[in-house]
Structures are given as structure tokens and as C-alpha cells.
Amino acid sequence: MVKKILVSQPKPASEKSPYFDIAKEFGVELVFRPFIKVEGLSAKEFRQQKISILNHTAIVFTSRHAIDNFFKLAKEMRITIPEDMKYFCVTEQIALYIQKYVQYRKRKVFFGTTGKIADLVPHMVKHKTEKYLIPMSDVHDDSVKNMLDAKKLQHTECVMYRTVSNDFTPDEISSFDYDMAVFFSPSGINAYTTNFSKDVLDKVVVATFGPTTAKTAVDAGLRLDLEAPSKEFPSMTGALRDYLRRLNED
């Protein structure tokens, strides 16, 4: 039975978050505690990659962190982003977040539906002449590069932010009593397995968002019961609600 769930993200700012609806609907306790924190690269660190933002005509965003750090770096480097810059985002929610920095215009913002960059590629192929810049974390593989190479798209990957462990206190470790833990990055999984003993890890059901996070969980020997996104459930909250519903039916 799942009654207490640890979500490895900051607490939602809005009380209208689906997480709070889930807690009420299923009578579960949700605790929000990030296992990692994101640090943006400095302008000096970014310049070492010898990449010019203005040599690109479209930006691919896979997360809000990518958006925040892209515009932060642009401001720090005193770069004015052209009005005709196009933005390609893996979900509509991420696309709407761009409004925090620039005026949202549908003609220059495109988004996928599943949260997977593979489902965004068809939109990118329709704009084959664009020069794409993909801001990424320091933890990534060549899967995006290989995918875009296969479609003969002009693209550049760059690191704009890094993830570091958000260390646990001794009290947090000794009082860890969750039935389920929800993760959104490989770094979160690594922080989790580093901080807790195998006896603790074996008792906790794990949910992951994204294929890389899921693979990291499996490789670490964790009990992975829930993976998102999927075609049916593109969000973690949708997948979690369905999982809890099925548990109650059993």
C-alpha cells in the first residue's frame, strides 16, 4: 500500500497543482524534497564552449531549467535575442513558460505532446533550414545529436546548466519512511542511492520520468513500478493518478 510519497521536486507554487488533487483523491501524503539542485553556468564557462547563440535561428527547450539558464546567460552576456527567433519545446507547458521572458507568439513557438524530443523532431523537420541550438545539462548522452543528425538538421548542443546533489541531513536519513519515491533525473536517482542503505531502498517503490532516469533506476537495482511519460499519460501526475487508481482496485 502506498500512503506516503516523496516527490523529488520543489513544492508546486500553485495550490491548483494536480499533485494536491491526487493527495486529496487517494488520501496519500505527498512530500516535496528535491534530491538535486540546478546551477547555471557562468558566462565565462559558457564561452569556453566557443558557441555563438546568435549564429542560431531556433532554440530547442527540453525543460524550464533550460529556458531559465538560456535567458540568464543571454542577459549576462548582453545578448539581445532577435524577435524572429523560433522556439521548439517538448511540451506545451514548457512552451508557455517562455512567456516569462519573451512575448509568446504561436507562429514562432512549437511544441510536442509527450515530453520526448523524438516526438518534437517532426516539427523540426518541417523547418529544415533553421539552425538549432539545444541547451542541455552537463549530464547527457549523444541520443539527441544522433537523432537530429539522422534527419540532417543543422544543430548544436551546448551545456548551460549542471545538476549537483542537494545533500540530506542525518535526521532526514534516519527518519526516511516513504512508500514511494518519484524521480525526474538520473542525478536524483544517484543522490538517492548514495544517501540510503539497500535495506531502505528495497522497501520503496520508485516512479521515474524520462527513459534515461528509468534506465538509471534499473541499473541501480531499484524497484521500478511506474514509468512516464507514455502515449496515454504524458505527465507524471497523470501516470501517478492511474497507478494509484489501479492499486486501489486491486
Side-chain angles (χ1 to χ4, degrees), residues 175-208:
S175 62
F176 194 87
D177 61 346
Y178 298 93
D179 304 305
M180 184 177 197
V182 182
F183 297 97
F184 299 85
S185 72
S187 300
I189 295 286
N190 292 334
Y192 176 59
T193 55
T194 299
N195 277 279
F196 298 101
S197 67
K198 188 176 186 305
D199 287 344
V200 172
L201 300 178
D202 287 344
K203 296 175 184 176
V204 183
V205 174
V206 168
T208 60

Side-chain angles (χ1 to χ4, degrees), residues 100-129:
K100 182 176 177 181
Y101 297 98
V102 297
Q103 186 175 355
Y104 186 95
R105 292 180 181 148
K106 289 186 177 179
R107 63 180 172 81
K108 68 174 186 179
V109 179
F110 309 87
F111 53 86
T113 57
T114 66
K116 296 180 179 178
I117 197 164
D119 297 314
L120 185 62
V121 171
H123 295 284
M124 297 170 66
V125 170
K126 291 178 183 177
H127 300 265
K128 208 172 184 96
T129 60

Side-chain angles (χ1 to χ4, degrees), residues 15-26:
E15 291 298 322
K16 294 182 179 179
S17 167
Y19 280 111
F20 299 124
D21 295 335
I22 289 172
K24 185 176 180 180
E25 182 179 350
F26 296 99

Side-chain angles (χ1 to χ4, degrees), residues 145-179:
K145 178 184 183 301
N146 295 339
M147 197 182 305
L148 302 186
D149 280 346
K151 297 297 182 181
K152 294 182 169 52
L153 294 171
Q154 301 178 76
H155 61 93
T156 306
E157 291 75 39
C158 63
V159 174
M160 285 193 172
Y161 53 99
R162 64 173 69 90
T163 54
V164 296
S165 179
N166 189 11
D167 291 338
F168 285 76
T169 66
D171 284 346
E172 284 181 306
I173 293 174
S174 64
S175 62
F176 194 87
D177 61 346
Y178 298 93
D179 304 305

Side-chain angles (χ1 to χ4, degrees), residues 137-148:
S137 163
D138 60 330
V139 180
H140 65 272
D141 56 25
D142 288 334
S143 58
V144 172
K145 178 184 183 301
N146 295 339
M147 197 182 305
L148 302 186

